[in-house]
Every structure is written in structure tokens, then in C-alpha cells.
Amino acid sequence: MAEIKGVQEISVICTTVSDLFRYSIKSGSELVPLSEEIENIRNYMTIQSIRYENRIEAIYQLEDGVLQYQLMKFTLQPIVENAIFHGLEPKIGKGMLVVSAQKEGDHLLIKIFDNGVGIPEKKVHEILLTLKGGVEASGCVSRNDGRIAQCH
């Protein structure tokens, strides 16, 4: 109906929401290839791009051979959502979200970066302490640019 009436954005959102819903109820293993997670993020970002009137751009830097790696379904979307909500939404001007994946030895390294507002260093420290149950440990890295990196 939206296509008939010439409202392309509504048609795109409906199709994309349908794809997101199908992905969420897909039965079978909870493990999915990275390619499916990336497609889910692309769908999510299509909606966000329309919502924020193209103020947010997503860039994908995916090394050859990484798309078949398996990970838990819905691993990336909550991280992307937090990057938008806490970093890019309050930013004035164009926002950028970068999703990268590369092989690092026997592991898959996935990075999600945004050029949003960041958070104060004191808050980063509090979050890191909370994540580690009040004890700082290796695996979490606090950065001076108001970003948090956490490795598992």
C-alpha cells in the first residue's frame, strides 16, 4: 500500500521490520554466521538512518573470509543500539558507526566504533569496575578518549 501511495520510506521500514522480525523468530541453532548478524545490523541501520534523517552513516569493514564465522544470534545489535543511543543520538552533526571484523590468529575480532559524544573518564572507570564486579582485571581497557573496549 505504501508503495502504491508513493511513500517509499514507509515501504522500506515495513520490509526491514519484517526482516528483523523473521530473524528474531528464526528457529534452529542460536549460533548464526557473521553474515546473518551483519545483515541484521544492516536492516537495523536502515531503520535508524530513516529515523535520524540520514544523520547516521554505517560503514562495514569486513575482512575476506570472516562472514562464515559463527556467533550467538543478536550479539551485535544491542551494541550498535547502545552506540546510537548513547553516542550518536546526542551528537550534533553527522554520526558515523563502523563495524569491522577480522581474523586474529584463531579468533574473530569484531569492533564497533562510533564518533559520538563519548563518556567522561570517571564514568568509564565506574562502568569498568561494575563489569568486573568491583575488581579491575585484564580484558577491559579504559581509553582516554571516553570510549570503552571490552574483550572476551
Side-chain angles (χ1 to χ4, degrees):
M1 179 65 99
E3 287 181 14
I4 294 169
K5 300 245 183 213
V7 186
Q8 188 63 30
E9 285 181 340
I10 294 172
S11 175
V12 169
I13 288 173
C14 288
T15 301
T16 306
V17 167
S18 296
D19 291 342
L20 287 170
F21 182 67
R22 270 192 296 281
Y23 182 73
S24 73
I25 63 170
K26 177 183 169 184
S27 62
S29 174
E30 289 300 312
L31 292 177
V32 296
L34 177 61
S35 60
E36 289 183 20
E37 273 290 280
I38 294 297
E39 184 61 28
N40 190 53
I41 295 304
R42 288 183 195 274
N43 286 329
Y44 180 77
M45 289 306 299
T46 296
I47 294 168
Q48 296 306 322
S49 180
I50 293 169
R51 177 180 178 205
Y52 291 104
E53 300 174 337
N54 295 315
R55 253 188 352 107
I56 299 173
E57 176 185 4
I59 299 170
Y60 303 90
Q61 301 171 340
L62 308 170
E63 187 178 90
D64 288 339
V66 298
L67 293 177
Q68 81 280 359
Y69 278 82
Q70 299 283 307
L71 67 159
M72 288 185 61
K73 187 167 39 169
F74 284 109
T75 298
L76 303 180
Q77 188 275 333
I79 300 168
V80 169
E81 184 175 340
N82 280 341
I84 292 170
F85 183 75
H86 295 290
L88 297 174
E89 185 176 281
K91 178 183 174 57
I92 296 172
K94 184 99 174 169
M96 179 181 61
L97 179 91
V98 178
V99 178
S100 70
Q102 64 190 50
K103 292 179 271 187
E104 195 169 87
D106 292 336
H107 301 284
L108 176 63
L109 177 62
I110 300 172
K111 297 179 185 177
I112 298 175
F113 171 81
D114 68 82
N115 68 340
V117 297
I119 56 177
E121 186 66 29
K122 182 178 179 185
K123 184 70 174 173
V124 171
H125 183 73
E126 291 170 8
I127 292 169
L128 291 173
L129 284 174
T130 301
L131 287 172
K132 289 299 177 183
V135 178
E136 290 188 74
S138 63
C140 285
V141 178
S142 174
R143 298 191 177 157
N144 291 331
D145 64 354
R147 304 277 178 216
I148 298 173
Q150 185 173 9
C151 303
H152 297 280

